[in-house]
Amino acid sequence: MSVFFFFNYRLLSLLEREDWPALAYYLEQKIYVKNRYNARFVRLLASSYLVISDFQSVLKLESKALLAKPSVVTKNVLIFGAARVLSGNHSEATAFFKSYMAKVSGKDKQWVRWFYGFSYLLGGSFNQAEPEFTSLAVSSSDALITGLSAYFLHSSLEKYSQNPQVCRETAENGRERLIKAIKNAENWNKETEKMGTEIHIAIIRKYVDEAGEWLFK
């Protein structure tokens, strides 16, 4: 343990101080100069860039990581996708998430699919967003994904749907499914806090809170 803290003192102290520009510089030396493209360093550097809204640097990191070690991009796909969402480039975001759907697994796969639909929604492509949220509302094994998908069907997509009754019913089915699984708002908040440190959750926290109010109103 002492050896770990000795070799990581600078990194840990910057994290503790939340000195994001200094942390970014420190990690740039590790990654770009020393060519240490490990998943942890790449994740921390991309997150630091996002905190200071330097989206172009996130994309630069992604490009270099793809050449040096593509697997670290796959492991951090939600962070690199988040940069596209936050920069407002919705068409690029949908293309990015679509390209990684077959490359990830588990909960990351569900979140990639959710952000794929979310990017369509932000871009005003409601007919493309609806099938994704419809499927996830009734099939996802993740509570936040289920609740958020049902919420957006209710709050945003029903009014644009070609079949609003089916959209409304699916939203209610997703809501009932979620409530049956986690019971109450307190458990929803626990799920939220458990995931709250993840960058891809932090950027949609407003919607997570709105969804919780609707789900348990």
Side-chain angles (χ1 to χ4, degrees):
M1 186 66 73
S2 298
V3 172
F4 173 83
F5 279 105
F6 175 78
F7 284 107
N8 292 277
Y9 172 76
R10 177 65 174 161
L11 175 62
L12 293 170
S13 64
L14 290 171
L15 280 169
E16 185 178 7
R17 298 205 312 264
E18 297 185 356
D19 188 344
W20 306 114
L23 178 61
Y25 178 79
Y26 171 81
L27 290 167
E28 286 168 349
Q29 302 308 301
K30 291 284 189 182
I31 295 170
Y32 296 143
V33 178
K34 297 183 179 180
N35 202 38
R36 295 180 63 182
Y37 283 87
N38 69 52
R40 183 169 67 104
F41 285 162
V42 168
R43 181 181 184 83
L44 284 173
L45 181 54
S47 298
S48 299
Y49 287 146
L50 286 179
V51 170
I52 60 177
S53 300
D54 188 354
F55 307 128
Q56 286 305 310
S57 289
V58 180
L59 300 182
K60 172 189 171 184
L61 173 61
E62 179 192 321
S63 297
K64 289 183 175 293
L66 279 171
L67 293 174
K69 194 175 180 181
S71 63
V72 301
V73 177
T74 304
K75 289 178 181 177
N76 292 294
V77 62
L78 294 170
I79 293 179
F80 289 114
R84 291 168 167 83
V85 172
L86 290 171
S87 67
N89 195 335
H90 307 310
S91 60
E92 187 177 326
T94 54
F96 175 81
F97 286 119
K98 183 178 182 180
S99 71
Y100 276 92
M101 279 188 191
K103 299 178 183 179
V104 294
S105 58
K107 285 192 175 182
D108 274 0
K109 188 179 187 71
Q110 294 184 52
W111 276 112
V112 166
R113 189 176 175 192
W114 188 88
F115 273 102
Y116 174 64
F118 184 58
S119 299
Y120 269 132
L121 178 65
L122 292 177
S125 299
F126 305 115
N127 289 337
Q128 285 74 32
E130 184 179 344
E132 301 303 323
F133 288 131
T134 294
S135 176
L136 290 168
V138 298
S139 68
S140 176
S141 59
D142 185 280
L144 293 185
I145 292 175
T146 300
L148 283 164
S149 299
Y151 169 69
F152 278 116
L153 288 170
H154 160 79
S155 66
S156 303
L157 294 171
E158 182 185 333
K159 63 177 73 72
Y160 299 106
S161 177
Q162 295 179 356
N163 197 331
Q165 182 177 348
V166 171
C167 186
R168 182 166 54 254
E169 289 173 353
T170 305
E172 286 301 321
N173 287 340
R175 181 184 179 190
E176 290 172 6
R177 180 171 170 264
L178 185 280
I179 293 173
K180 183 178 180 180
I182 68 171
K183 311 301 182 188
N184 54 50
E186 182 180 354
N187 289 333
W188 172 264
N189 292 333
K190 287 180 181 177
E191 289 289 328
T192 300
E193 293 306 318
K194 184 170 67 176
M195 296 286 290
T197 57
E198 299 288 342
I199 271 293
H200 65 282
I201 301 298
I203 70 171
I204 58 168
R205 184 57 187 263
K206 170 192 172 189
Y207 302 113
V208 173
D209 293 340
E210 291 177 357
E213 291 177 8
W214 172 72
L215 288 162
F216 299 99
K217 64 182 179 181

